Amino acid sequence: MRSTATRTRLAAAAATAGIVVLAGCSSSGSSDKASAASCEPAKGKVTLQYWNTVPGMDQVVDLWNKQHPDIQVETKNISNDQYGTLGNALKADKAPDLAQVGYDELPNLRTQSAFVDASACKAATAAKSKFVPWTWSQTSFGGTGVFAIPQDTGPMALYVRSDLFKKYNVAVPTTWDEYATAAEKLHKADPNLDMTFFDPNNAEWFNGLLWQNDAKMYGYSGDKWQVSVDSAQSKQVADYWQKLISEKVVRTDLAHGSTQMYAAYQKDQLATYVGAAWGYSMFRDNLPKQAGKWSIVPMPTWGSNPSSGDWGGSTVAFMKGSAHLYESVEFNTWLNTDPDALAMENKLGGLYPAASAGLDLPALKQGVPYYNNEKIFDVFADASKKIDTSFAWGPTQKTVNLALQDAMAKAAAGSGTLSDALATAQAAALKSMKDQAIPATAGK
């Protein structure tokens, strides 16, 4: 769900510009074309392998299997080590027919020839009109084929323990300046209460914060990638969180989704959570006793700039080696466009649909009992309209994220700063592209 895992605009510009070039840098061009040349239905019953990380997806697959006896699907949850498991399977030529892949991982796996092109299947190309445009650009690499079907997005918002804000008479913040002020007031009122936590090992989350501030981590011009991971906008975000860390009003010892994180929330030690749409089910399912205490409001803004950010979102990719492309397309399009499937995925796994029609699901128009019957998805829908569609992922994003996380962890431990971490990630981006003979230069 995260990067694995969503919002409504992960990078139209890079998808149409930079990612097209990525295809040129990839060795997968010929194999993709060969795969796309065959889209014939099988002459008999078929069993597909589908690997994912979404809770409850087995129940969605069961629904498909009941309705389609000739195309059966076996699902495997690989949430413990998503990309490690996929990578090992690809090396051993034992990849599944379909796999969940985050938007930010698509360019990286594309350079490894991990996908097949399903554009020879009419159902695959016809699906384009059913999805939010930016998501389709991501999965088609700017129109060079159909390598995956969009599944979900991750527009970000602020989860608020409204009861704690009321208890200490602190206003819910609407800007990041107000957020910092509220953090100080809450911590002063209760020294055991911090505003939130900063997970230094979660680059995807931090990238969402950069995205909100209109930071352009990558661009493409002059036949080269323009790398600006450490831009002025990025440094503004880094310096802001560094200050909160230094003032000890946010914690740095909690990993996202960990037992310790939920324990901190359960003990009323954290007042907010900066998260994505798919996170709504996390609190509902793991902190049931706090029902009615949470609200979801728009992300604090940088001054009057209304922009929001995206964290995560995934696709279901057509993996190389599949002998059943036709059947894979049939299941994949159903999985990500069928109203019943989308409703189950939202209810069980917290997915926020990438399909345009999915945003009109009755469940997304109603109040959510856990959140005081508030119409929380209206907040996410509004956020999705305020995300910079020109944000781009780089072709070596995984390497950059790992470098960023390593440096942020050191900064959180007191060695260096988050701005230093951006400089480290910038250097890692340029080196990784140079190592792969991908033309790149430092941008502004």
Side-chain angles (χ1 to χ4, degrees):
M1 263 178 306
R2 291 183 357 165
S3 199
T4 218
T6 45
R7 158 223 152 239
T8 285
R9 262 106 285 247
L10 260 151
T16 55
I19 292 177
V20 171
V21 178
L22 218 198
C25 298
S26 170
S27 61
S28 62
S30 59
S31 63
D32 288 339
K33 291 179 181 178
S35 300
S38 177
C39 190
E40 295 296 325
K43 298 178 180 178
K45 187 174 180 178
V46 166
T47 298
L48 303 175
Q49 296 293 322
Y50 166 42
W51 295 359
N52 67 88
T53 67
V54 182
M57 190 57 77
D58 55 332
Q59 297 181 49
V60 183
V61 170
D62 285 344
L63 177 62
W64 164 272
N65 286 337
K66 290 177 183 178
Q67 298 176 354
H68 302 82
D70 292 334
I71 305 177
Q72 294 292 285
V73 178
E74 295 179 353
T75 184
K76 176 180 178 180
N77 189 293
I78 56 172
S79 56
N80 287 337
D81 186 17
Q82 181 181 8
Y83 296 111
T85 302
L86 271 180
N88 291 334
L90 286 165
K91 291 177 182 177
D93 291 325
K94 294 183 179 180
D97 299 274
L98 299 161
Q100 183 180 0
V101 176
Y103 294 100
D104 59 343
E105 287 286 343
L106 286 172
N108 179 48
L109 287 173
R110 165 71 163 157
T111 64
Q112 301 175 42
S113 303
F115 309 130
V116 293
D117 181 3
S119 59
C121 301
K122 292 183 179 179
T125 55
K128 177 180 180 180
S129 62
K130 300 179 180 180
F131 294 91
V132 174
W134 75 267
T135 62
W136 191 264
S137 293
Q138 289 279 298
T139 59
S140 66
F141 294 102
T144 64
V146 181
F147 302 90
I149 297 293
Q151 183 164 76
D152 70 309
T153 61
M156 298 178 75
L158 183 66
Y159 292 62
V160 176
R161 273 292 300 273
S162 51
D163 61 321
L164 295 179
F165 277 80
K166 291 178 181 177
K167 177 180 179 180
Y168 296 112
N169 194 30
V170 176
V172 174
T174 60
T175 68
W176 285 115
D177 283 344
E178 292 176 359
Y179 187 82
T181 299
E184 294 175 3
K185 290 181 178 179
L186 289 171
H187 191 67
K188 183 177 181 179
D190 180 357
N192 293 317
L193 178 61
D194 293 305
M195 191 59 152
T196 190
F197 69 101
F198 183 100
D199 181 359
N201 293 305
N202 195 329
E204 292 92 347
W205 173 79
F206 190 69
N207 289 339
L209 299 179
L210 301 183
W211 192 340
Q212 188 208 13
N213 199 30
D214 296 333
K216 301 292 190 296
M217 298 177 72
Y218 304 91
Y220 194 86
S221 63
D223 296 327
K224 287 184 178 181
W225 282 92
Q226 308 295 317
V227 183
S228 53
V229 176
D230 62 349
S231 67
Q233 292 90 339
S234 294
K235 290 179 179 177
Q236 182 182 12
V237 176
D239 291 343
Y240 175 87
W241 285 92
Q242 184 66 56
K243 188 173 186 292
L244 294 183
I245 291 172
S246 298
E247 293 177 347
K248 300 186 184 304
V249 292
V250 299
R251 291 176 61 170
T252 59
D253 61 334
L254 301 173
H256 184 268
S258 66
T259 300
Q260 293 80 5
M261 182 202 81
Y262 289 118
Y265 280 111
Q266 185 66 58
K267 296 175 182 177
D268 297 343
Q269 295 175 349
L270 299 172
T272 68
Y273 168 77
V274 181
W278 45 262
Y280 91 95
S281 61
M282 292 171 29
F283 290 87
R284 178 198 66 190
D285 298 342
N286 290 282
L287 298 172
K289 293 182 180 180
Q290 291 188 353
K293 297 181 178 181
W294 286 94
S295 293
I296 297 179
V297 300
M299 278 264 280
T301 62
W302 291 100
S304 60
N305 182 354
S307 294
S308 187
D310 182 271
W311 174 19
S314 295
T315 71
V316 178
F318 299 102
M319 305 302 291
K320 75 173 183 180
S322 173
H324 304 294
L325 189 59
Y326 175 87
E327 289 77 16
S328 293
V329 169
E330 292 297 302
F331 170 69
N332 203 346
T333 53
W334 174 89
L335 181 70
N336 294 304
T337 62
D338 181 82
D340 291 334
L342 295 177
M344 290 181 69
E345 290 160 20
N346 174 260
K347 180 179 180 180
L348 299 173
L351 297 189
Y352 190 73
S356 300
L359 303 182
D360 292 323
L361 289 174
L364 299 185
K365 297 295 185 181
Q366 301 171 357
V368 179
Y370 184 85
Y371 296 93
N372 271 316
N373 288 314
E374 296 172 7
K375 295 183 178 181
I376 63 172
F377 292 108
D378 286 352
V379 177
F380 294 117
D382 187 57
S384 71
K385 300 173 184 177
K386 298 175 180 177
I387 300 175
D388 179 9
T389 60
S390 66
F391 187 88
W393 298 116
T396 58
Q397 190 68 46
K398 184 175 182 179
T399 297
V400 174
N401 283 350
L402 290 174
L404 181 60
Q405 289 174 178
D406 181 63
M408 288 198 303
K410 292 178 180 177
S415 178
T417 66
L418 294 179
S419 282
D420 294 335
L422 288 173
T424 298
Q426 169 84 0
L430 291 170
K431 183 180 184 302
S432 61
M433 290 185 189
K434 180 180 179 180
D435 290 345
Q436 297 185 43
I438 300 174
T441 187
K444 297 180 179 180

